[in-house]
Amino acid sequence: MASSPIMSDNSSLNESRGTEKQTFALVSLTSLFFMWGFITCLNDILIPHLKAVFSLNYTEAMLIQFCFFGAYFLVSMPAGHLVKKIGYQRGIVTGLVIASFGCALFYPAADQAVYGLFLGALFVLASGITILQVAANPYVNALGTAETASSRLNLTQAFNALGTTVAPYFGAVLILSVASGAGSELSHAQAEAEQVKLPYLLLSGMLATLAVIFSKLKLPVIEGHGEVRSDGKAVEYLGKTNAIGHRHLALGALAIFVYVGAEVSIGSFLVSFLGESNIAGLEEAEAAKYITYYWGGAMIGRFIGSAVMQKIPAGKVLGFNATMAALLVCVAVVSSGATAMYAILAVGLFNSIMFPTIFSLALQNLGPHTSQGSGWLCLAIVGGAIVPLLQGVLADVLGIQLAFFLPVLCYGYILFYGLKGSQVELVSSKEHV
């Protein structure tokens, strides 16, 4: 009988140590979310910069977004298989190394001043970021209870939004402000191309440093995500032999597609929208400053959402935010002046929790199919390349203001997913091995 208190103390001690390890891992992972948010948002600076350097039209300049989001489409599934084989921590290190190499490739691209080399470097960089997403998102999802998974992912994604808020200032100082009196041997265009060397070399060094750090960290090992049996056949889980067979995952992938598409569409057209004479009539340089409010709202919203979802089911919070975002876009479409301007900027606040919440809801109860499911969700990020293009077509036909009805449809689907589509099918939980 005397041994019971000792066993209880040991159990409590082990549980406490396990919690400390999970907390340490979560804190470490926030640096990754900050970095890829920072790098992704730099594209908004890179597009006008390279457009001016190489005298590109808008279609050619948008190849930057197509290369970046195209990497998600091409790399996500192979990344899912890679993470399944080598584990989450090694997957994170691999993603950091590839992203670091991609940043380093900006140096020869700038040196040669060839647009195609910039696109190639961007694709390599985005491939590394894709592997990071495939590994880090489900890892955060698994660091604790399923009930608080959305809250954890929203907390780490808040630091992703911090990166998107800070990046425009970084880019404006180190990329857009070409030093006066550049070397006489360089043309003005060449001097502008040279401006990307320093910032991307700094990013390369930071990513390489993180790769070394994460290779040394003793992070908790998440077990039980193998997808292949000893006889080489796929594991059947909840009656499914692959991730996409789970209804809530398939519907979640579509939700990620339309969400990223809506978010990128609004961001891409924001400067032009604020430049409309019936909205704010702002010059491009002045309108660009308001992007900070859009991304800053997303950052604040994620911190708020992380706390709210400790008390309220994630699906209901997602449905509420989708409703509010849709209403705000509708206000921006049918009104004018300051009302339309602040309505569209406020959408960022309600966008905030959508990506991490959809991601965590879609990965519920996937068991051994989790890493594959993460690959499908990251693949769906390609919506960021396709939906803005469709909105561009609508803008040419209907005008830029009416074209914003497309994101409203996207938010309508997200409302459905939060309230209905994210519910896990009630089937036997017996796993066949």
Side-chain angles (χ1 to χ4, degrees), residues 76-282:
S76 289
M77 295 312 297
H81 292 299
L82 176 68
V83 171
K84 175 188 66 178
K85 290 183 178 180
I86 67 176
Y88 293 118
Q89 184 169 358
R90 289 181 180 176
I92 288 170
V93 173
T94 301
L96 286 168
V97 170
I98 293 174
S100 175
F101 180 63
C103 286
L105 288 176
F106 274 77
Y107 190 96
D111 201 44
Q112 297 297 316
V114 176
Y115 185 50
L117 293 178
F118 278 106
L119 295 178
L122 193 70
F123 182 84
V124 174
L125 168 59
S127 297
I129 298 298
T130 302
I131 296 173
L132 273 180
Q133 291 243 34
V134 171
N137 281 312
Y139 188 63
V140 170
N141 208 54
L143 285 174
T145 65
E147 291 75 16
T148 58
S150 291
S151 176
R152 287 193 303 278
L153 204 50
N154 267 285
L155 180 60
T156 51
Q157 286 281 352
F159 287 90
N160 176 275
L162 177 61
T164 63
T165 303
V166 173
Y169 290 97
F170 176 88
V173 172
L174 293 182
I175 296 178
L176 294 183
S177 58
V178 179
S180 59
S184 58
E185 297 180 1
L186 297 176
S187 68
H188 181 69
Q190 288 175 316
E192 286 187 329
E194 294 275 317
Q195 287 301 106
V196 304
K197 285 184 176 181
L198 177 59
Y200 278 92
L201 281 180
L202 289 174
L203 289 172
S204 178
M206 293 171 67
L207 291 167
T209 301
L210 283 173
V212 173
I213 292 173
F214 271 86
S215 68
K216 302 296 183 182
L217 292 179
K218 294 183 178 180
L219 299 178
V221 177
I222 306 300
E223 303 288 356
H225 283 176
E227 295 178 37
V228 179
R229 307 192 317 186
S230 59
D231 60 6
K233 295 182 180 179
V235 171
E236 185 175 320
Y237 184 73
L238 300 180
K240 314 295 182 184
T241 57
N242 56 68
I244 204 64
H246 296 265
R247 177 177 176 273
H248 69 284
L249 182 279
L251 295 177
L254 180 55
I256 289 288
F257 180 95
V258 297
Y259 165 68
V260 175
E263 180 191 52
V264 174
S265 288
I266 293 173
S268 297
F269 286 92
L270 195 57
V271 171
S272 297
F273 181 75
L274 297 181
E276 292 286 289
S277 58
N278 66 316
I279 305 299
L282 299 175

Side-chain angles (χ1 to χ4, degrees), residues 37-103:
F38 188 98
I39 289 170
T40 301
C41 196
L42 272 186
N43 288 350
D44 294 338
I45 301 296
L46 206 57
I47 288 171
H49 179 68
L50 295 184
K51 184 177 183 296
V53 171
F54 296 106
S55 301
L56 305 174
N57 59 34
Y58 285 106
T59 302
E60 291 168 336
M62 283 304 295
L63 287 175
I64 291 173
Q65 294 287 27
F66 272 95
C67 281
F68 195 88
F69 289 104
Y72 282 95
F73 183 76
L74 295 175
V75 178
S76 289
M77 295 312 297
H81 292 299
L82 176 68
V83 171
K84 175 188 66 178
K85 290 183 178 180
I86 67 176
Y88 293 118
Q89 184 169 358
R90 289 181 180 176
I92 288 170
V93 173
T94 301
L96 286 168
V97 170
I98 293 174
S100 175
F101 180 63
C103 286

